[in-house]
Amino acid sequence: MLHRADRLAVTIGALELKNPIIAAAAEHMIEADGVRAALAAGAGAVVVKSTNESSAAKDQLQRAEYLAIDSGWNPVKWDASAPPEVTLATRSGLSPLGFAEWLDEVVHLDREARARSALLVPSLVLSQLEPALAMARQIEQAGLRVLEFNIGTPYGSQAAQQAVATELDPARVGEIVRAMRETVSLPLWIKLTGQSERVPALAEAAFDAGAQSVVMAGRLLGLIPDLDSMAPLLGTSLGVGGYWNLPLTCQWLALTRQHLGVEAPLIGINGVRDGRDAARVMLAGASAVGMASSVMLRGPGVLTQALEQLDAYLDAKGIAARDLIGRAADRRRSFHEMELRTDHWQDFVIR
């Protein structure tokens, strides 16, 4: 029988994680205490709130707004009382700290993460490439163990010019990742957008250029009209995510696994509410699973609960987390391979 530690352990390339639950970056990871809470909750890795050189990206945080919306598109209270079937719609921004202060804090938090056998992940969002490369050099020189490079924010088309980027061209992704790979030697996790029909091609370009893993896929950009005011909720387009995005995340994971093979480690994000959702994402091909919105909405206890649920599922199945990866994806068949069911459609037409 597997012990819990052996049951939950996974690898992402050369990196070992004590479990596959990643506390992904959002506003609750701006302050050090938020990171500490995620570490105390048991996350295998914690991603700090991203930074870059753009003052416009920092200004965007001061213009940010947040809504939790129920299945009828009605705003509900932003707390743990929100229903499970909730959509989160936000205007977000980057860390308000200057880079030197941000890096100093990340280095201190990395020491605390090591003490808990967890991985602390600094995150950069692309604005302009040369400043990102310079920051990455300093991150590596500071002794940090990995770098997430987010080139797929949902806000690229709506933010101030050169605040953040949403890269949609595989060739461009390859150029960016190759430049980063030539600049630093530490493992690179490249975060990609889901706002493309070419997500597997974007992932392929990132891996070919030297990424150790890709994180797929970021939130979508959407607009929700308000029936009372007849204006967009919160006045503009928003980054949206929720439970409904889980099938989309799983689809991109499965297609990318099919396209690149089983050796390319993927990190799934967007739509995961709990440990059973985490298992679903791993079955679709993820080696690890990011959780952000649900933690920001309900608190760090979500991470502990997700770990308990995932471990219980694995224990009941008698398998380890690493054996879960891609099992559903590898059994996915195309439509023409499915059994013939003559006129079965008629059973679903209401007359």
Side-chain angles (χ1 to χ4, degrees):
M1 178 179 290
L2 288 170
H3 294 292
R4 176 185 165 103
D6 294 329
R7 191 162 51 237
L8 287 172
V10 294
T11 60
I12 302 175
L15 294 171
E16 296 184 0
L17 269 63
K18 65 180 180 180
N19 65 65
I21 300 299
I22 298 174
E27 277 74 347
H28 57 295
M29 295 301 178
I30 289 177
E31 297 178 339
D33 283 348
V35 176
R36 293 186 179 107
L39 291 169
V46 179
V47 186
V48 299
K49 183 61 173 172
S50 309
T51 192
N52 66 17
E53 80 285 0
S54 170
S55 59
K58 290 178 172 58
D59 176 71
Q60 190 171 301
L61 179 68
Q62 305 311 320
R63 301 173 189 271
E65 187 56 277
Y66 312 86
L67 273 180
I69 305 167
D70 67 17
S71 59
W73 305 110
N74 304 300
V76 296
K77 194 172 181 181
W78 186 285
D79 63 17
S81 69
E85 298 78 20
V86 69
T87 293
L88 302 183
T90 69
R91 300 192 312 266
S92 187
L94 301 192
S95 171
L97 299 178
F99 179 71
E101 185 181 0
W102 177 89
L103 182 58
D104 183 63
E105 185 170 275
V106 170
V107 168
H108 283 87
L109 290 168
D110 180 61
R111 296 189 191 119
E112 296 181 36
R114 290 173 191 263
R116 293 183 178 272
S117 301
L119 181 67
L120 198 285
V121 184
S123 178
L124 295 178
V125 169
L126 177 65
S127 170
Q128 298 185 73
L129 184 56
E130 286 304 320
L133 300 179
M135 289 179 172
R137 288 189 195 96
Q138 294 183 63
I139 287 170
E140 182 169 49
Q141 290 166 1
L144 296 165
R145 295 170 283 170
V146 62
L147 172 63
E148 179 187 86
F149 192 24
N150 185 350
I151 60 175
T153 69
Y155 305 111
S157 65
Q158 302 299 309
Q161 186 175 11
Q162 295 184 328
V164 295
T166 309
E167 297 296 342
L168 300 168
D169 179 11
R172 168 76 173 156
V173 168
E175 291 174 10
I176 292 167
V177 177
R178 191 169 298 106
M180 185 61 76
R181 177 75 292 154
E182 291 171 353
T183 299
V184 296
S185 60
L186 77 175
L188 296 176
W189 294 357
I190 306 300
K191 190 173 183 180
L192 300 174
T193 181
Q195 298 176 159
S196 169
E197 76 282 5
R198 305 200 298 177
V199 172
L202 298 175
E204 180 179 30
F207 278 114
D208 286 349
Q212 183 179 69
S213 181
V214 298
V215 184
M216 62 172 60
R219 288 176 301 151
L220 307 177
L221 194 65
L223 184 140
I224 306 170
D226 176 54
L227 293 179
D228 291 330
S229 67
M230 294 186 280
L233 285 177
L234 301 185
T236 185
S237 299
L238 304 166
V240 293
Y243 72 99
W244 47 264
N245 203 88
L246 185 120
L248 306 181
T249 297
C250 290
Q251 171 76 346
W252 286 133
L253 288 164
L255 291 178
T256 302
R257 180 179 173 90
Q258 180 185 41
H259 186 64
L260 297 180
V262 302
E263 300 303 319
L266 309 175
I267 298 171
I269 193 168
N270 207 344
V272 177
R273 295 170 295 178
D274 55 30
R276 293 180 68 83
D277 281 350
R280 293 180 175 100
V281 170
M282 295 185 73
L283 285 165
S287 295
V289 181
M291 300 181 68
S293 296
S294 58
V295 182
M296 185 173 171
L297 180 67
R298 305 182 194 280
V302 168
L303 297 165
T304 304
Q305 292 166 6
L307 277 169
E308 295 297 333
Q309 286 179 319
L310 177 61
D311 185 54
Y313 173 78
L314 294 170
D315 190 31
K317 292 292 185 182
I319 61 173
R322 58 184 174 271
D323 300 319
L324 199 63
I325 300 166
R327 291 179 74 154
D330 295 343
R331 296 175 65 183
R332 187 182 67 92
R333 294 182 286 171
S334 60
F335 280 15
H336 74 273
E337 295 174 306
M338 305 305 291
E339 296 80 7
L340 184 65
R341 307 195 69 178
T342 304
D343 291 334
H344 179 57
W345 62 270
Q346 293 183 358
D347 295 337
F348 299 87
V349 175
I350 305 302
R351 294 181 175 86

